Amino acid sequence: MAATGIGISGAIGALENVSGAMSLRVWMEANREELLRAWNGRRLNWQALCAWFKDVGLTNADGQAPTVRCAKMTWYRAGKTLAARKDRAVAEANGPSRDQAVRRTVAPTDKVRSGPSDEEILALMAEADNEERLNRERRERIAGYEAQRRTMAESNGGGVQSEAPVEATQSEPAPLETATRPRVKIGQIANHVTMLKQAPRYGADRDKPLPPPYVGPRPDGMPEYLPLDALMPLDATGRQPDGRIDYEALPGLPRRSFFERDRDWAKACIPMVEAVPHEDRSLILRGLLMRARDLMKTLY
């Protein structure tokens, strides 16, 4: 005869907390927020954490000690799980009158939490690489056309440039009042900007050489407080040594090693990516924008 009055919560807890399938995921879901509060926005040392996971017996879904990549993905998914739980709690607190809104809110969250498979991620990366290659070839062709046009203009003795002055000579000169008008109004306070400096580097990061300097104009959307040496050079590979995309060191964008906190790096990246028209954003830029916005939400 089946026992009565015994729920399944104990059985679920036993299954979730055994060594193996869910041990690392369960630990992260239980301790993620407390760890973020204690670490106060500083960058997590995943090598040190993975060594500790191995020492205490926290394993991945295969029952093995998690790698840095596995730990980061598990951390990200745990954050999505906790966010979904908070959404459900808020929806339930709002009462049954908003059940329809709750269904619309919870369903997309569950979908995001599951995430794409490894095969889908590889396919997206391949598509992004191809799109980036096509964009680079297009920029090179445009640069070639511009160089050819300038060469022809110089060989013609400035004949191409003669069209612009014709329009200028036909226009009336600016009034004296406009020409002598001061650049600023009396009493107007100038905008004060304090340029950000390279964050101090500790431990092994101190021995890593800084990347070559960025050469070029300030990109659109770049914050005023950010110096050019905070950007990666345009000829940077944007890849890690193992070939994976390095979102923290993309060409022409802020490098993570310049900043002391993840939040400061994300705050600088967002306006620069948003300055790129949506139709011109590659999958890599879209991925960077999602990561930066997620960091801003997580670290507030």
Side-chain angles (χ1 to χ4, degrees), residues 255-277:
R255 53 183 173 89
R256 174 61 185 86
S257 59
F258 182 84
F259 301 86
E260 188 169 2
R261 300 187 305 167
D262 286 337
R263 182 179 181 275
D264 297 333
W265 171 71
K267 185 178 179 181
C269 290
I270 290 176
M272 294 185 63
V273 179
E274 289 180 339
V276 179

Side-chain angles (χ1 to χ4, degrees), residues 120-157:
E120 292 173 339
I121 292 176
L122 292 175
L124 289 174
M125 291 174 61
E127 183 178 352
D129 290 342
N130 185 52
E131 181 177 353
E132 184 66 22
R133 179 181 59 80
L134 294 176
N135 290 336
R136 184 173 62 253
E137 293 177 353
R138 182 178 61 182
R139 290 193 297 267
E140 292 174 354
R141 288 197 301 270
I142 293 176
Y145 296 152
E146 290 294 331
Q148 184 178 3
R149 186 182 65 82
R150 287 193 297 268
T151 303
M152 294 178 61
E154 293 173 358
S155 63
N156 292 333

Side-chain angles (χ1 to χ4, degrees), residues 203-282:
D205 290 339
R206 183 184 304 174
D207 300 328
K208 294 180 181 178
L210 294 175
Y214 169 89
V215 178
R218 291 182 68 87
D220 294 336
M222 184 176 178
E224 291 182 338
Y225 61 84
L226 208 61
L228 288 176
D229 57 355
L231 304 182
M232 288 295 295
L234 295 175
D235 58 354
T237 63
R239 290 191 177 276
Q240 300 179 9
D242 58 3
R244 292 182 293 124
I245 296 175
D246 189 356
Y247 287 95
E248 298 183 354
L250 293 178
L253 286 167
R255 53 183 173 89
R256 174 61 185 86
S257 59
F258 182 84
F259 301 86
E260 188 169 2
R261 300 187 305 167
D262 286 337
R263 182 179 181 275
D264 297 333
W265 171 71
K267 185 178 179 181
C269 290
I270 290 176
M272 294 185 63
V273 179
E274 289 180 339
V276 179
H278 186 272
E279 61 274 10
D280 295 336
R281 293 178 198 166
S282 64

Side-chain angles (χ1 to χ4, degrees), residues 72-224:
K72 285 185 177 181
M73 293 180 66
T74 306
W75 179 264
Y76 177 78
R77 289 169 180 168
K80 292 297 183 181
T81 299
L82 294 176
R85 290 177 183 173
K86 290 182 180 179
D87 291 342
R88 292 192 186 95
V90 172
E92 292 174 358
N94 290 335
S97 60
R98 301 186 62 183
D99 285 345
Q100 185 175 2
V102 170
R103 286 193 295 270
R104 288 197 303 266
T105 303
V106 173
T109 306
D110 292 338
K111 183 176 181 181
V112 172
R113 181 183 60 185
S114 61
S117 63
D118 292 342
E119 291 77 8
E120 292 173 339
I121 292 176
L122 292 175
L124 289 174
M125 291 174 61
E127 183 178 352
D129 290 342
N130 185 52
E131 181 177 353
E132 184 66 22
R133 179 181 59 80
L134 294 176
N135 290 336
R136 184 173 62 253
E137 293 177 353
R138 182 178 61 182
R139 290 193 297 267
E140 292 174 354
R141 288 197 301 270
I142 293 176
Y145 296 152
E146 290 294 331
Q148 184 178 3
R149 186 182 65 82
R150 287 193 297 268
T151 303
M152 294 178 61
E154 293 173 358
S155 63
N156 292 333
V160 176
Q161 298 179 356
S162 61
E163 298 179 0
V166 171
E167 183 178 356
T169 54
Q170 294 176 354
S171 61
E172 298 180 357
L176 180 60
E177 179 184 358
T178 303
T180 59
R181 183 178 300 170
R183 299 179 60 185
V184 297
K185 297 180 180 179
I186 295 177
Q188 181 177 354
I189 303 300
N191 184 27
H192 177 70
V193 177
T194 302
M195 299 300 289
L196 200 64
K197 296 182 180 179
Q198 167 73 53
R201 301 189 296 167
Y202 307 98
D205 290 339
R206 183 184 304 174
D207 300 328
K208 294 180 181 178
L210 294 175
Y214 169 89
V215 178
R218 291 182 68 87
D220 294 336
M222 184 176 178
E224 291 182 338

